[in-house]
Amino acid sequence: MNAPERFLAACASKPVDRTPVWMMRQAGRYLPEYRAVREKVDFLTLCKTPELAAQVSLQPIDRFGMDACIVFCDILIPVEAMGVPVTFGDGGPQLERRVRTRADVDALRVPDPLVATPFVMETLRLCKRALLDRAALVGFTGAPFTLASYIIEGGGSKNFAATKALMYSQPATFHALLDKLAATVAEYAAAQVAAGAQAVQVFDTWAGELEPCAFDEFAQPYQARVIERIRACGVPAILYVNGCAGVLESMARTRADVLSIDWRLALGDARARVGSGVTLQGNVDPTVLLSNPVRTAEAAFATMEAAGPIGHILNLGHGILPQTPLECAAAFVDAPKANA
Ligand code: CP3
């Protein structure tokens, strides 16, 4: 099997010659060749320059040979296109306007992805052309709840106080915001498929901060809308929630083809809860890769053992950390190849 065949077979819970592997945030600061590009351009310019964005998307594939290549961009790019300017400093993303009222929500645009974010589609086309069959090309989008949290907080957050205060005190306004975000990112995801994405991952990173009934009301239905749009394009949808243990069954009801699991939940337990027919992705703790290659390979093997050979994509439980040694990243990607 070539890498796209292997990756797509795993997404469909079909037999594979070996477990496919990639890493969330695999294009990033742990790579010296990424840091070299970032010395010359700032992060947003990198996202918006297709030649450079494609170059850094391919860097981890060229070095390690993962089975999937995720397009280099950021989940906040469509938010900017909705009318909320974003900047990236050392402390993470900062949004210029905070959306807190119904009037703020009504002022947001639902952009045409081809007009507002053509550079993302061009990056995908360039990646596809350069990859041939070396790796499956994966597009991505943030999910409505996680994007709403950035829009409301104006950046990252520890306890999501402003987000949850709005959610519990003005649920209609909150739903109106989620509705606009879902319309935006569903079309953004569909445009990525038209530009060559062979699968799309939906990042609802912070939805695991919700109590389960709030997840069912404010996160899951909007995830499901985006996932339905992706699947209607004929490609698999992958759903990631950090801290998913309390909401796993609800995630499965989105009909995502793949559930991407963080490290707090054992894959054997996840499988027992969701049954067969849905693929599991994950779930090594990214801090394991701060140890050494032997310990890293052991963790990868244990994860493959817990998941079984069918319906598993080896990945981390969240993004790879910038301080990860290259030899540990290599040991992680090589583990399924040694196992074959
Ligand atoms: O996976 C990949 O290799 C593709 C690229 C990718 C980035 N961001 C690049 C990036 C993806 C898929 C994302 C998604 C993203 N962005 C998420 C969801 C996934 C997750 O990790 O939880 C979130 C919450 C964001 C928002 C965001 N962007 C934050 C919180 C930060 C700052 C944190 C940090 O690591 O510095 C970013 C910046 C960012 N996005 C960087 C990269 C490589 C670092 C920017 C730099 O080069 O200085």
Side-chain angles (χ1 to χ4, degrees):
M1 293 181 122
N2 66 34
E5 288 167 350
R6 180 180 300 120
F7 180 82
L8 292 171
C11 289
S13 295
K14 292 187 177 142
V16 283
D17 57 344
R18 65 164 173 79
T19 301
V21 59
W22 67 286
M23 297 186 289
M24 285 190 266
R25 287 274 181 101
Q26 64 191 15
R29 287 164 296 182
Y30 74 106
L31 286 175
E33 54 271 35
Y34 174 86
R35 295 195 299 269
V37 174
R38 276 283 279 107
E39 264 173 32
K40 287 179 248 147
V41 292
D42 62 71
F43 177 69
L44 271 182
T45 305
L46 177 50
C47 290
K48 294 178 183 178
T49 311
E51 292 72 22
L52 292 177
Q55 184 189 333
V56 300
S57 305
L58 294 162
Q59 284 173 345
I61 312 304
D62 292 339
R63 186 188 270 269
F64 301 115
M66 293 86 168
D67 295 295
C69 172
I70 185 161
V71 66
F72 188 83
C73 194
D74 195 80
I75 59 166
L76 297 174
I77 290 291
V79 167
E80 192 180 48
M82 293 176 81
V84 183
V86 182
T87 56
F88 286 85
D90 285 340
Q94 285 217 318
L95 287 73
E96 254 170 54
R97 292 202 287 116
R98 280 166 190 53
V99 171
R100 295 278 167 92
T101 66
R102 183 64 201 231
D104 294 339
V105 173
D106 290 343
L108 295 173
R109 291 190 291 273
V110 175
D112 177 340
L114 297 181
V115 174
T117 50
F119 48 87
V120 179
M121 313 314 151
E122 182 59 16
T123 303
L124 283 156
R125 282 190 288 268
L126 292 176
C127 286
K128 193 69 167 282
R129 207 173 302 152
L131 278 171
L132 302 171
D133 283 332
R134 287 190 293 147
L137 182 59
V138 178
F140 73 87
T141 177
F145 176 80
T146 291
L147 295 178
S149 80
Y150 282 100
I151 287 179
I152 294 163
E153 305 285 342
S157 178
K158 273 210 168 71
N159 54 16
F160 299 91
T163 303
K164 291 180 175 182
L166 185 71
M167 184 180 88
Y168 287 119
S169 62
Q170 296 182 60
T173 298
F174 201 78
H175 276 298
L177 174 58
L178 293 168
D179 190 67
K180 272 197 166 173
L181 285 163
T184 298
V185 299
E187 290 318 306
Y188 178 67
Q192 291 184 56
V193 177
Q198 293 164 290
V200 178
Q201 178 150 333
V202 177
F203 285 95
D204 216 349
T205 305
W206 306 127
E209 298 289 332
L210 292 170
E211 55 173 338
C213 64
F215 182 92
D216 286 344
E217 179 175 353
F218 297 103
Q220 196 268 6
Y222 299 95
Q223 296 166 353
R225 241 167 88 182
V226 179
I227 284 164
E228 185 181 57
R229 185 76 180 91
I230 294 164
R231 299 187 78 220
C233 297
V235 304
I238 308 171
L239 176 60
Y240 174 72
V241 172
N242 191 13
C244 68
V247 293
L248 187 68
E249 289 80 1
S250 182
M251 286 171 68
R253 286 193 293 273
T254 63
R255 303 192 62 226
D257 300 272
V258 182
L259 300 178
S260 192
I261 310 290
D262 63 281
W263 63 91
R264 301 166 191 87
L265 176 65
L267 287 190
D269 294 344
R271 177 59 74 204
R273 285 169 57 184
V274 297
S276 57
V278 60
T279 294
L280 300 179
Q281 176 172 274
N283 68 342
V284 173
D285 185 337
T287 60
V288 172
L289 277 65
L290 305 180
S291 61
N292 57 65
V294 171
R295 184 68 189 82
T296 297
E298 279 170 12
F301 288 132
T303 300
M304 287 187 279
E305 186 76 32
I310 306 267
H312 180 222
I313 298 165
L314 181 64
N315 204 316
L316 305 174
H318 197 185
I320 187 169
L321 295 165
Q323 61 272 43
T324 302
L326 292 170
E327 53 273 25
C328 292
F332 186 79
V333 177
D334 285 343
K337 302 180 186 175
N339 221 12

